[in-house]
Amino acid sequence: MEDPAVANPEQPDYPQHWEADVLLRDGGTARIRPITPGDAGRLVEFYEQVSDQSKYFRFFAPYPRLSDKDVRRFTHHDFVNRVGLAVVVRDHFIATVRYDRIDAEGRPSDHGTDAEVAFLVQDAHQGRGVASALLEHIAAVAQERGIRRFQAEVLPENRKMVKVFTDAGYTQHRSFADGVVHLEFDLEQTDRSLAVMRAREHRAEARSVQRLLTPRSVAVIGVSRNPQTVGRALLRDLLGSFDTEFESRYESKGAPRTVYAVNRSAPPGTELDGVPVHRSILDIPGPVDLAVIAVPESVVPAAVAECGAHGVQGLVVVTAGYAETGPEGRARQRALVRQARAAGMRVVGPNAFGLINTDPDRPLNASLAPHLPDRGGFGIFCQSGAIGVALLESAHRRGLGVSSFASVGNRSDVSGNDFLQYWAEDDATEVVLLYLESFGNPRKFTRIARRLATAKPVVVVKGARHTGSLPPGHAVPATATGLRDATVDALFEQAGVTRVATITELFDTGELLAQQPLPPGDRVAVVGNSDSLGLLTYDTCLSAGLRPRTPVDLTTAATGENFRIALDVALSDPAVDAVIAVAIPPIGTSAHAFMGGRLTGPGDPEMGSDDPEIATALLEAGERARELGKPLVLAHLALTDLPTRLRPGGIPAYAAPERAVRALAHAVHYAQWRRRTAAAEETARVPDLDRIDEPGVRALVEAALSTHAAVAARTQPGGARITLSDAEARLLLARYGIDVSPTLPAPDEEEAVRAAGQLGYPVALKATAPHLRHRPDLGSVRLDLTGEAGLRRAHRELDALLGGAAEAQLVVQRLAPRGVDTVIGATVDPAVGAILSFGLAGAPAELLGDVAHRLVPATDQDVAGLIREVRAAPLLFGWRGAEAVDTAALEELLLRVSQLVDDVPEIASVDLEPVVVAPHGLAILGARVRVAPLPVRSDLGPRAMSTL
């Protein structure tokens, strides 16, 4: 069939941005796009596949076929008042939707704000969530064209369509007359419609991953006679996972699984590793759910086309040579994803290491790992194949089991967000471990990870922490390439994600979270047979922000019974939330002796032995700790056997005290976040503030963006961020109750004196030139000017020091009450959204980076935590006997800034510096506001897969 863009080169203003790939309820993919005149053949074919009943429901009468006039009407649109969208799979329509703008009397109109909407879905695809996805997209299109409300008429017996409308979550009105249900619903997003959309997104993405991990049949495309090739290794690995004791269990349920091999050059009758080899996937007699592609890059498009024609559901593309090679490779990668999605398939890769599922009912090793890892509770995701190997090896060495594993290479389609959605539903996954090098959609990651972290720990190693470099081949939007590490930290913190620095720390933390209870607090008891190791552990606890008790030293002669008693006492103490046991080889007993100038143990010349009684005491204490809901971990030196003895009891053992403490500190922080988040759901709120004039601010922003300067700025590199004048900024902020102390220009002494008389003494005289602003260290400010003589003298001094009053842009400002100078900011990061920041002005924020962040919108509890999070926070609360400042006023100001940038997303940034917080009230002495046009799409739009 003709491509619509090719068939209609004269089509005016074709809205390319309305095209979108979507995931349906069953995990399959489809494409939504506008209908054009070139789709006439597709429309007729589609209509022929619709049942008579569905046609009746659409037209309220028997309508066996479309006339030529119908076809023209349904394919010719102006994309403003009449719009039609289609859902396309494998170049065939499976559903359509159309709206027609109407006036208040229901007649066709070019100016009304209502529209009639009607759907038609092929019977074979009903129940897949097709109509729901179409409704989201046609609603977004209508809003873009100025339509505010949809009207629909539905027969009462068409219950499925009525349910689509009523379940969407829009504000609606329903009536019944003349045997027809009449529905009207506003298109403005509501909290409920957004929740419905995200719940559907969650189910579809989780289902799509489930289909990838639990295929009934798998084909390896690119199997070679050479046993050393990638394709042959993949075949062997698959056979190893299918041909096991698990396979017989699965087959006993009456659902046998099959592995197929494909090589286009194989002679008829060829077998490899006992598997018949087909020349094409089209030659395979039965269905194939998953295809693993390991052919040269030039052959991949043909292989993908055959997979689509055969009805394959998902692809693992191991082949390299795509975006990691440069712009031409990136173009090939995009073409690969478009081709696969158009055929209803998802893509893992390209350049992927593969997928693993250890489910005993459906084991899968579609990866280059030679063996299935042990079954366990860790869900592991990474982007690098080399890191994937290291993660699997670390898990094996520690005896930790895996539920599922994915190493997705270039992450062109299936991403970490998809797996987070799946693991939220997977009962076998208890802890999620991620190695991330980039974010495709940071805002969505935050939302999904936060929901998951309320039930399961999520531990992350984020690569490129300092360089910010993007690994070759990673598909990310331009807005996410420069994501600051402080922003990433804020994102993780608010989402409840535990960030660690190394692979070792990833597993140290994951092991504790998987095997031990979450600590009820941060009070730690240290018990062991080494005073020195106990003190090291104590000091490390203090550095990690924990509250350790004085270590209990049992001496190096301690027996298992000594350990048992001391651990029981520590665990039973209500003032203890967690216990770290420390152990070294029992020196000075018969267990060790000096032989040949070095310390050895009996039967273990490398000092690997230990006292089995100590292991027994620790295992008994571990059971007691679980009963009490307190974690117990071990820090040891030179005891290689003890961790193995403790493994059956699930007691993490670390070969250094700092590793044990770091893991415990992460667990404490995560437990605190869980408790805080649970409490916040009941108590946290965004207060109703007075003096909020959103329409007034919107009018000011629209005026600023319509100026010649704003229009010119849109053509400049970096976008169209327009800095408002000081007067405009003060006026805008005042409409949200944010009062900036006024300043008056002082180009000469006489003007300075007149300004001071108008403002009232005492005053300050300061420079506002960009190179001098907020630089009192350069002598650009004079304070406590109580009279005309002092002001004139200060003006002469600054005029001489700074090269002239005009050059320095001197101003007079009413003197603020004495207090603590702080800085408040809100910046819209295109990838993450608005971020609220707070710090103390000057060196703490600028030199030491002592700034805390929260994602907007912030609650009252968010801002209370924000001002207490900076390291210099004691200065706000009466440090060294000083009077505490008005933190309530500070928190209210933060809430006002948060609400401003949340209500008016065109506000790109707000900077308030300094904000002097006094014991009673505060004063904002400087403000800068920048505005920018809204991006084309946001996280609030209809569901759509990434098109990077």
Side-chain angles (χ1 to χ4, degrees), residues 725-918:
S725 68
D726 289 348
E728 290 172 326
R730 279 197 299 271
L731 180 60
L732 183 148
L733 293 169
R735 299 199 176 202
Y736 264 65
I738 301 169
D739 297 317
V740 181
S741 296
T743 60
L744 295 176
D748 55 46
E749 286 186 36
E750 299 307 321
E751 287 293 331
V753 171
R754 273 194 290 271
Q758 182 176 339
L759 295 172
Y761 288 99
V763 296
L765 181 69
K766 63 182 183 181
T768 60
H771 65 289
L772 297 172
R773 188 184 290 246
H774 307 313
R775 291 299 306 275
D777 55 306
L778 299 180
S780 60
V781 179
R782 294 291 185 271
L783 303 175
D784 291 318
L785 304 175
T786 59
E788 179 178 334
L791 176 59
R792 289 181 179 276
R793 182 170 56 253
H795 195 281
R796 289 193 295 270
E797 291 174 354
L798 291 183
D799 183 77
L801 177 65
L802 303 176
E807 176 71 19
Q809 299 177 28
L810 295 181
V811 299
V812 174
Q813 189 172 45
R814 175 83 178 175
L815 188 70
R818 293 196 176 276
V820 178
D821 288 2
T822 65
V823 55
I824 291 173
T827 302
V828 176
D829 188 303
V832 177
I835 300 171
L836 185 66
S837 304
F838 171 78
L840 268 63
E846 297 175 13
L847 183 62
L848 303 178
D850 187 17
V851 179
H853 307 275
R854 289 292 185 276
L855 299 181
V856 168
T859 67
D860 54 354
Q861 294 186 13
D862 287 330
V863 298
L866 187 66
I867 66 174
R868 290 162 175 79
E869 188 174 305
V870 295
R871 295 189 296 277
L875 293 173
L876 302 171
F877 296 95
W879 188 59
R880 288 188 172 180
E883 189 174 359
V885 302
D886 192 346
T887 54
L890 182 58
E891 290 172 13
E892 181 182 326
L893 176 58
L894 285 162
L895 286 168
R896 290 184 182 276
V897 173
S898 170
Q899 184 170 341
L900 173 64
V901 296
D902 189 47
D903 287 347
V904 189
E906 292 91 346
I907 295 178
S909 67
V910 175
D911 294 294
L912 307 179
E913 182 181 6
V915 177
V916 182
V917 190

Side-chain angles (χ1 to χ4, degrees), residues 331-485:
R332 290 194 298 271
Q333 182 168 298
R334 287 173 176 158
L336 165 66
V337 174
R338 284 197 301 270
Q339 182 186 14
R341 287 178 178 172
M345 299 181 292
R346 299 217 66 184
V347 179
V348 175
N351 196 25
F353 185 78
L355 301 175
I356 292 175
N357 181 14
T358 63
D359 184 347
D361 288 336
R362 292 190 176 185
L364 173 73
N365 185 8
S367 78
L368 293 170
H371 305 290
L372 272 176
D374 293 334
R375 179 68 167 168
F378 286 96
I380 301 177
F381 176 90
C382 65
Q383 296 165 341
S384 161
I387 295 296
V389 173
L391 292 172
L392 290 173
E393 172 59 27
S394 295
H396 175 73
R397 184 164 23 88
R398 292 168 178 255
L400 302 176
V402 175
S403 61
S404 50
F405 165 90
S407 179
V408 300
N410 292 2
R411 189 178 42 74
S412 65
D413 178 24
V414 176
S415 70
N417 287 343
D418 294 301
F419 274 87
L420 291 179
Q421 301 275 39
Y422 169 74
W423 283 322
E425 301 296 318
D426 181 34
D427 292 337
T429 301
E430 299 170 350
V431 177
V432 172
L433 305 182
L434 307 175
Y435 175 83
L436 302 179
E437 294 169 337
S438 63
F439 290 100
N441 188 337
R443 196 183 307 219
K444 182 176 177 180
F445 172 88
T446 305
R447 170 167 49 86
I448 298 172
R450 181 181 176 86
R451 187 184 67 244
L452 175 59
T454 58
K456 301 178 182 182
V458 180
V459 190
V460 176
V461 175
K462 172 65 171 64
R465 182 176 189 126
H466 298 293
T467 65
S469 59
L470 185 67
H474 283 215
V476 301
T479 54
T481 56
L483 206 59
R484 296 183 306 158
D485 199 61

Side-chain angles (χ1 to χ4, degrees), residues 527 552 554-555 557-568 613 617:
V527 176
V552 176
L554 304 177
T555 77
T559 64
E561 181 65 11
N562 297 140
F563 267 90
R564 186 189 65 77
I565 294 172
L567 289 171
D568 185 67
E613 293 183 2

Side-chain angles (χ1 to χ4, degrees), residues 491-574:
L491 182 153
F492 286 157
E493 173 67 27
Q494 207 142 342
V497 171
T498 300
R499 183 174 189 173
V500 298
T502 65
I503 298 297
T504 299
E505 193 177 353
L506 181 76
F507 277 100
D508 284 348
T509 305
E511 183 176 3
L512 192 155
L513 290 169
Q515 297 182 344
Q516 292 292 308
L518 288 177
D522 58 0
R523 301 166 300 178
V524 182
V526 181
V527 176
N529 64 354
S530 169
D531 182 48
S532 298
L533 191 58
L535 289 174
L536 282 173
T537 304
Y538 176 88
D539 290 342
T540 307
C541 284
L542 288 174
S543 299
L546 302 177
R547 293 189 291 165
R549 302 180 63 178
T550 303
V552 176
D553 178 27
L554 304 177
T555 77
T556 56
T559 64
E561 181 65 11
N562 297 140
F563 267 90
R564 186 189 65 77
I565 294 172
L567 289 171
D568 185 67
V569 169
L571 288 167
S572 300
D573 190 336

Side-chain angles (χ1 to χ4, degrees), residues 201-369:
E201 172 192 70
H202 167 71
R203 289 192 297 269
E205 291 175 353
R207 176 60 180 148
S208 74
V209 172
Q210 183 186 41
R211 296 205 315 178
L212 291 168
L213 290 173
T214 57
R216 293 163 298 176
S217 54
V218 184
V220 181
I221 302 175
V223 175
S224 169
R225 291 179 179 275
N226 182 350
Q228 304 304 315
T229 59
V230 170
R232 191 69 175 275
L234 287 164
L235 179 65
R236 287 195 300 270
D237 297 343
L238 266 170
L239 291 171
S241 63
F242 273 44
D243 188 20
T244 62
E245 61 174 312
F246 301 131
E247 177 66 11
S248 61
R249 283 189 221 168
Y250 191 74
E251 289 185 359
S252 69
K253 296 183 178 181
R257 299 192 300 161
T258 312
V259 175
Y260 299 102
V262 177
N263 185 314
R264 63 177 180 173
S265 302
T270 301
E271 285 193 6
L272 293 174
D273 296 318
V275 177
V277 181
H278 301 271
R279 300 192 67 174
S280 167
I281 197 170
L282 296 174
D283 297 334
I284 295 175
V288 175
D289 295 330
L290 180 69
V292 184
I293 298 179
V295 298
E297 176 273 323
S298 60
V299 187
V300 170
V304 172
E306 292 182 351
C307 288
H310 197 65
V312 173
Q313 295 178 351
L315 306 174
V316 176
V317 182
V318 179
T319 304
Y322 286 88
E324 76 277 8
T325 65
E328 291 183 2
R330 183 171 295 280
R332 290 194 298 271
Q333 182 168 298
R334 287 173 176 158
L336 165 66
V337 174
R338 284 197 301 270
Q339 182 186 14
R341 287 178 178 172
M345 299 181 292
R346 299 217 66 184
V347 179
V348 175
N351 196 25
F353 185 78
L355 301 175
I356 292 175
N357 181 14
T358 63
D359 184 347
D361 288 336
R362 292 190 176 185
L364 173 73
N365 185 8
S367 78
L368 293 170

